[in-house]
Amino acid sequence: RNIHVDTMANYTFFKEGMRKYLRDIKPCSARIQVANSQCMTASVQGHLDMYVLNKDEHANAPLVQPFSVHGIVAPEVGRDLMPIDSL
């Protein structure tokens, strides 16, 4: 799966399909205002453990890097988004 890095995002948002991969899931009733002024309601929040792959084999980076991010599942979000600050 891909998570897009969004320079305008201020939090990590997941589509509903990512819920099954989260750990430490808790209910979340956050309301999220998006760029077009619409609002979405979150359903849950939790942590996603993943691995970042250095597919281009950059010399100064490991080939595989464990990574964990806290995020919110917002069923109406169009794609999985992560802010640049999470990197």
Side-chain angles (χ1 to χ4, degrees):
R1 293 196 67 142
N2 294 322
I3 299 176
H4 297 268
V5 175
D6 184 347
T7 57
M8 297 299 290
N10 56 8
Y11 213 81
T12 299
F13 299 107
F14 299 124
K15 297 188 318 186
E16 186 65 35
M18 291 295 276
R19 178 195 297 240
K20 61 186 169 192
Y21 302 111
L22 298 180
R23 64 176 170 81
D24 302 328
I25 296 174
K26 297 177 184 167
C28 181
S29 59
R31 301 237 335 127
I32 303 141
Q33 185 172 356
V34 295
N36 64 4
S37 297
Q38 292 181 331
C39 287
M40 294 183 276
T41 302
S43 59
V44 297
Q45 61 183 321
H47 286 77
L48 177 68
D49 296 319
M50 62 185 115
Y51 295 96
V52 177
L53 304 177
N54 178 4
K55 291 173 53 175
D56 294 330
E57 299 183 17
H58 295 285
N60 295 331
L63 291 176
V64 179
Q65 178 68 45
F67 188 70
S68 181
V69 65
H70 180 268
I72 292 176
V73 174
E76 299 170 53
V77 73
R79 66 174 75 171
D80 301 317
L81 301 171
M82 181 172 58
I84 193 91
D85 297 344
S86 292
L87 297 176

